Amino acid sequence: MENLKADYAWGAYAIELGLNLRRARGARGLSQEQVALRVGISSKTYQKYETGHSKPGTPMNPQLVNLVCISHVLEVPVEELLPAFAPDLPAVG
């Protein structure tokens, strides 16, 4: 039950992160392909970031280095890309 709750919480967070990426990219007038090329990832991977899903039913979880590179390409702080809410995840440990 706890894993299901964490999966749902992370899924909602990933979708919101994807929406923030799409908004920031649109504000810069860049295509998904342009961002992916500048970051050094495939356009398919970047598309998954914007949808919030890595495969059906699985929330995306980008590497920190990719998120930082994307923020540089989009000329926004990483904080602006992250959702305003924290996902309700169980404590580890």
Side-chain angles (χ1 to χ4, degrees):
M1 183 69 159
E2 199 66 30
N3 282 342
L4 184 61
K5 181 180 176 185
D7 288 348
Y8 177 78
W10 185 255
Y13 191 81
I15 288 171
E16 187 67 24
L17 173 57
L19 291 172
N20 291 345
L21 290 171
R22 189 174 313 139
R23 285 185 203 109
R25 179 180 57 78
R28 293 280 301 134
L30 298 171
S31 70
Q32 290 178 335
E33 292 78 17
Q34 289 171 314
V35 174
L37 180 66
R38 293 176 188 182
V39 171
I41 59 176
S42 73
S43 58
K44 187 72 171 167
T45 296
Y46 185 79
Q47 289 170 0
K48 290 177 181 181
Y49 290 173
E50 283 198 6
T51 66
H53 301 285
S54 64
K55 57 185 174 181
T58 305
M60 62 91 169
N61 191 4
Q63 293 181 354
L64 181 58
V65 67
N66 290 342
L67 212 54
V68 171
C69 287
I70 291 168
S71 77
H72 285 295
V73 168
L74 299 178
E75 299 179 6
V76 297
V78 173
E79 297 82 21
E80 284 188 29
L81 298 175
L82 299 177
F85 61 92
D88 184 20
L89 302 175
V92 177

